[in-house]
Coordinates of all heavy atoms in Angstrom, one line a residue:
G99 N 130.6 106.8 159.2 CA 130.0 106.6 160.6 C 128.5 106.7 160.6 O 127.9 106.4 161.6
L100 N 127.9 107.1 159.5 CA 126.4 107.2 159.5 C 125.9 105.8 159.3 O 126.3 105.0 158.5 CB 125.9 108.0 158.3 CG 126.2 109.5 158.4 CD1 125.4 110.2 157.2 CD2 125.8 110.1 159.7
P101 N 124.8 105.4 160.1 CA 124.2 104.1 159.9 C 123.4 104.1 158.6 O 123.1 105.1 158.0 CB 123.2 104.0 161.1 CG 123.0 105.5 161.5 CD 124.2 106.2 161.2
A102 N 123.1 102.9 158.2 CA 122.4 102.7 156.9 C 121.2 103.5 156.7 O 120.9 104.1 155.7 CB 122.1 101.2 156.7
W103 N 120.4 103.6 157.8 CA 119.1 104.3 157.6 C 119.3 105.8 157.4 O 118.5 106.4 156.7 CB 118.2 104.0 158.8 CG 118.6 104.6 160.1 CD1 119.4 104.0 161.1 CD2 118.3 105.9 160.7 NE1 119.6 104.8 162.1 CE2 118.9 106.0 161.9 CE3 117.6 107.0 160.2 CZ2 118.9 107.2 162.7 CZ3 117.5 108.1 161.0 CH2 118.1 108.2 162.2
Q104 N 120.4 106.4 158.0 CA 120.6 107.8 157.7 C 121.1 108.0 156.3 O 120.8 109.0 155.6 CB 121.7 108.3 158.7 CG 121.0 108.7 160.0 CD 121.9 109.3 161.0 OE1 123.0 109.7 160.7 NE2 121.5 109.5 162.2
R105 N 121.9 107.0 155.8 CA 122.4 107.1 154.4 C 121.2 107.0 153.4 O 121.1 107.7 152.4 CB 123.4 106.0 154.1 CG 124.7 106.2 154.9 CD 125.7 105.2 154.6 NE 126.7 105.1 155.7 CZ 128.0 104.8 155.5 NH1 128.4 104.4 154.3 NH2 128.8 104.8 156.5
A106 N 120.2 106.1 153.8 CA 119.0 105.9 153.0 C 118.2 107.2 153.0 O 117.7 107.6 151.9 CB 118.2 104.8 153.5
R107 N 118.1 107.9 154.1 CA 117.4 109.1 154.1 C 118.0 110.2 153.3 O 117.4 111.1 152.8 CB 117.3 109.7 155.6 CG 116.2 109.0 156.3 CD 115.8 109.7 157.5 NE 114.7 109.0 158.2 CZ 114.2 109.3 159.3 NH1 114.6 110.3 160.0 NH2 113.2 108.5 159.8
K108 N 119.4 110.1 153.1 CA 120.0 111.1 152.2 C 119.8 110.7 150.7 O 120.2 111.5 149.9 CB 121.5 111.1 152.5 CG 121.9 111.8 153.8 CD 123.4 111.7 154.0 CE 123.8 112.4 155.3 NZ 123.7 113.9 155.2
G109 N 119.3 109.5 150.5 CA 119.0 109.1 149.1 C 120.0 108.1 148.6 O 120.0 107.8 147.4
L110 N 120.8 107.4 149.4 CA 121.7 106.4 149.0 C 121.1 105.0 149.4 O 121.0 104.7 150.6 CB 123.0 106.6 149.7 CG 124.1 105.5 149.5 CD1 124.4 105.1 148.1 CD2 125.4 106.0 150.1
V111 N 120.5 104.3 148.4 CA 119.6 103.2 148.7 C 120.0 102.0 147.8 O 120.4 102.2 146.7 CB 118.2 103.6 148.3 CG1 117.2 102.4 148.4 CG2 117.7 104.8 149.2
R112 N 119.9 100.8 148.4 CA 120.2 99.6 147.6 C 119.1 98.7 147.6 O 118.2 98.7 148.5 CB 121.5 98.9 148.2 CG 121.3 98.4 149.6 CD 120.9 97.0 149.7 NE 121.8 96.1 149.0 CZ 122.9 95.5 149.4 NH1 123.2 95.7 150.7 NH2 123.6 94.8 148.7
S113 N 119.0 97.8 146.6 CA 118.1 96.7 146.6 C 119.0 95.4 146.8 O 120.1 95.4 146.5 CB 117.3 96.6 145.4 OG 118.1 96.2 144.3
F114 N 118.4 94.4 147.4 CA 119.1 93.2 147.7 C 119.2 92.2 146.6 O 118.2 92.0 145.8 CB 118.6 92.6 149.0 CG 119.1 93.4 150.2 CD1 118.2 94.4 150.8 CD2 120.3 93.2 150.8 CE1 118.6 95.1 151.8 CE2 120.7 94.0 151.8 CZ 119.9 94.9 152.4
Q115 N 120.3 91.4 146.6 CA 120.5 90.3 145.7 C 119.3 89.3 145.8 O 118.8 88.8 144.8 CB 121.8 89.7 146.0 CG 122.4 88.9 144.9 CD 123.9 88.7 145.1 OE1 124.6 89.5 145.9 NE2 124.5 87.7 144.5
I116 N 119.0 89.0 147.0 CA 117.9 88.0 147.3 C 116.8 88.8 147.8 O 116.9 89.5 148.8 CB 118.3 87.0 148.3 CG1 119.7 86.5 148.1 CG2 117.3 85.9 148.5 CD1 120.1 85.2 147.9
P117 N 115.6 88.8 147.1 CA 114.5 89.6 147.5 C 114.1 89.2 149.0 O 114.1 88.1 149.3 CB 113.4 89.3 146.6 CG 114.0 88.8 145.3 CD 115.3 88.1 145.8
R118 N 113.9 90.3 149.8 CA 113.6 90.0 151.2 C 112.3 90.6 151.6 O 112.3 91.5 152.5 CB 114.7 90.6 152.1 CG 116.1 90.1 151.8 CD 117.0 90.9 152.7 NE 118.4 90.4 152.5 CZ 119.4 90.8 153.2 NH1 119.3 91.8 154.2 NH2 120.6 90.3 153.0
P119 N 111.2 90.2 151.0 CA 109.9 90.8 151.4 C 109.5 90.3 152.8 O 109.9 89.2 153.2 CB 108.9 90.4 150.3 CG 109.5 89.1 149.8 CD 111.0 89.2 150.0
F120 N 108.7 91.1 153.5 CA 108.1 90.6 154.7 C 106.9 89.7 154.2 O 106.0 90.2 153.7 CB 107.6 91.8 155.5 CG 108.7 92.7 156.0 CD1 108.7 94.0 155.5 CD2 109.6 92.3 157.0 CE1 109.7 94.9 155.9 CE2 110.6 93.2 157.4 CZ 110.7 94.5 156.9
K121 N 107.1 88.4 154.5 CA 106.1 87.5 153.9 C 104.7 87.6 154.5 O 103.8 87.2 153.9 CB 106.7 86.1 154.1 CG 107.9 85.8 153.2 CD 108.2 84.3 153.0 CE 109.4 84.1 152.2 NZ 110.7 84.5 152.9
K122 N 104.6 88.1 155.7 CA 103.3 88.2 156.3 C 102.6 89.4 156.0 O 101.4 89.6 156.3 CB 103.4 88.0 157.9 CG 103.9 86.6 158.2 CD 103.7 86.3 159.7 CE 104.0 84.8 159.9 NZ 104.7 84.6 161.2
L123 N 103.3 90.4 155.3 CA 102.6 91.6 154.9 C 102.2 91.5 153.4 O 102.8 90.7 152.7 CB 103.6 92.8 155.1 CG 104.1 93.1 156.5 CD1 105.0 94.3 156.5 CD2 103.0 93.2 157.5
S124 N 101.2 92.3 153.1 CA 100.9 92.4 151.6 C 101.9 93.1 150.8 O 102.8 93.7 151.4 CB 99.5 93.1 151.5 OG 99.7 94.4 151.9
V125 N 101.8 93.0 149.5 CA 102.7 93.7 148.6 C 102.8 95.2 149.0 O 103.9 95.8 149.2 CB 102.3 93.5 147.2 CG1 103.0 94.4 146.2 CG2 102.6 92.0 146.8
I126 N 101.6 95.8 149.1 CA 101.6 97.3 149.4 C 102.2 97.6 150.8 O 102.9 98.6 150.9 CB 100.2 97.9 149.2 CG1 100.3 99.4 149.2 CG2 99.2 97.4 150.2 CD1 99.0 100.1 148.6
E127 N 101.9 96.8 151.7 CA 102.5 97.0 153.1 C 104.0 96.9 153.0 O 104.7 97.6 153.8 CB 101.9 96.0 154.1 CG 100.5 96.4 154.5 CD 99.8 95.2 155.2 OE1 100.2 94.0 155.1 OE2 98.8 95.5 155.9
N128 N 104.5 96.1 152.2 CA 106.0 95.9 152.0 C 106.6 97.2 151.5 O 107.8 97.5 151.8 CB 106.3 94.8 151.1 CG 106.6 93.5 151.8 OD1 107.7 93.3 152.3 ND2 105.6 92.6 151.9
V129 N 105.8 98.0 150.8 CA 106.3 99.3 150.3 C 106.1 100.4 151.3 O 106.9 101.3 151.5 CB 105.7 99.7 148.9 CG1 106.2 101.0 148.4 CG2 106.1 98.6 147.9
Q130 N 105.0 100.2 152.1 CA 104.7 101.2 153.1 C 105.7 101.2 154.3 O 106.0 102.3 154.8 CB 103.3 100.9 153.7 CG 102.2 101.4 152.8 CD 100.8 101.0 153.3 OE1 100.3 99.9 153.0 NE2 100.2 101.8 154.1
V131 N 106.3 100.1 154.5 CA 107.3 100.0 155.6 C 108.5 101.0 155.4 O 108.7 101.8 156.2 CB 107.8 98.6 155.9 CG1 109.0 98.5 156.8 CG2 106.6 97.7 156.4
P132 N 109.2 100.8 154.2 CA 110.2 101.8 154.0 C 109.7 103.2 153.8 O 110.5 104.2 154.2 CB 110.9 101.3 152.7 CG 110.0 100.4 152.1 CD 109.1 99.8 153.2
L133 N 108.5 103.4 153.4 CA 108.0 104.8 153.3 C 107.9 105.4 154.7 O 108.2 106.6 154.9 CB 106.6 104.8 152.7 CG 106.4 104.7 151.2 CD1 105.0 104.6 150.8 CD2 107.1 106.0 150.5
R134 N 107.5 104.6 155.7 CA 107.4 105.1 157.0 C 108.8 105.3 157.7 O 108.9 106.2 158.5 CB 106.6 104.1 157.9 CG 105.1 104.1 157.4 CD 104.2 103.7 158.5 NE 102.8 103.6 158.0 CZ 102.3 102.4 157.9 NH1 102.9 101.3 158.2 NH2 101.0 102.3 157.4
F135 N 109.7 104.4 157.3 CA 111.0 104.5 158.1 C 112.1 105.1 157.4 O 113.0 105.6 158.0 CB 111.4 103.0 158.5 CG 110.4 102.5 159.5 CD1 109.4 101.6 159.2 CD2 110.5 103.0 160.9 CE1 108.5 101.2 160.1 CE2 109.5 102.5 161.8 CZ 108.6 101.6 161.4
A136 N 112.1 105.1 156.0 CA 113.3 105.7 155.3 C 113.1 107.1 155.0 O 114.1 107.8 154.8 CB 113.5 104.9 154.0
L137 N 111.9 107.6 155.0 CA 111.7 109.0 154.7 C 111.8 109.9 156.0 O 111.3 109.5 157.1 CB 110.4 109.3 154.0 CG 110.2 108.6 152.7 CD1 108.8 108.9 152.1 CD2 111.2 109.1 151.7
A138 N 112.3 111.1 155.9 CA 112.4 112.0 157.0 C 111.0 112.5 157.4 O 110.7 112.7 158.6 CB 113.3 113.1 156.7
Q139 N 110.1 112.6 156.4 CA 108.8 113.1 156.6 C 107.8 112.1 156.0 O 108.1 111.6 154.9 CB 108.6 114.5 156.0 CG 108.9 115.6 157.0 CD 109.3 116.8 156.3 OE1 109.1 117.0 155.1 NE2 110.0 117.7 157.0
P140 N 106.6 111.9 156.6 CA 105.7 111.0 156.0 C 105.2 111.6 154.6 O 105.1 112.8 154.5 CB 104.5 110.9 157.0 CG 104.7 112.1 157.9 CD 106.2 112.5 157.9
P141 N 104.9 110.7 153.6 CA 104.6 111.2 152.3 C 103.2 112.0 152.4 O 102.3 111.5 153.1 CB 104.5 110.0 151.5 CG 104.4 108.8 152.4 CD 105.0 109.2 153.7
A142 N 103.1 113.0 151.6 CA 101.8 113.8 151.5 C 100.8 112.8 151.0 O 101.0 112.0 150.0 CB 102.0 115.0 150.6
G143 N 99.6 112.8 151.6 CA 98.5 111.9 151.1 C 98.5 110.6 151.7 O 97.7 109.7 151.5
G144 N 99.5 110.3 152.6 CA 99.6 109.1 153.3 C 100.4 108.0 152.6 O 100.6 108.0 151.4
S145 N 100.8 107.0 153.4 CA 101.8 106.0 152.9 C 101.1 105.1 152.0 O 101.7 104.6 151.0 CB 102.5 105.3 154.1 OG 101.6 104.4 154.7
E146 N 99.8 104.8 152.2 CA 99.1 103.8 151.3 C 99.0 104.4 149.9 O 99.3 103.7 148.9 CB 97.8 103.4 151.9 CG 97.1 102.3 151.1 CD 95.8 101.7 151.7 OE1 95.5 102.2 152.8 OE2 95.2 100.8 151.1

Side-chain angles (χ1 to χ4, degrees):
L100 293 186
W103 66 270
Q104 281 184 9
R105 297 182 195 209
R107 280 197 179 173
K108 288 178 178 289
L110 173 51
V111 174
R112 62 96 51 92
S113 69
F114 284 95
Q115 200 161 338
I116 317 237
R118 304 176 174 184
F120 297 111
K121 293 199 178 70
K122 292 196 172 142
L123 301 182
S124 65
V125 166
I126 191 165
E127 285 166 337
N128 265 280
V129 178
Q130 285 174 269
V131 170
L133 278 174
R134 294 208 183 104
F135 293 102
L137 295 179
Q139 267 151 21
S145 71
E146 185 171 359

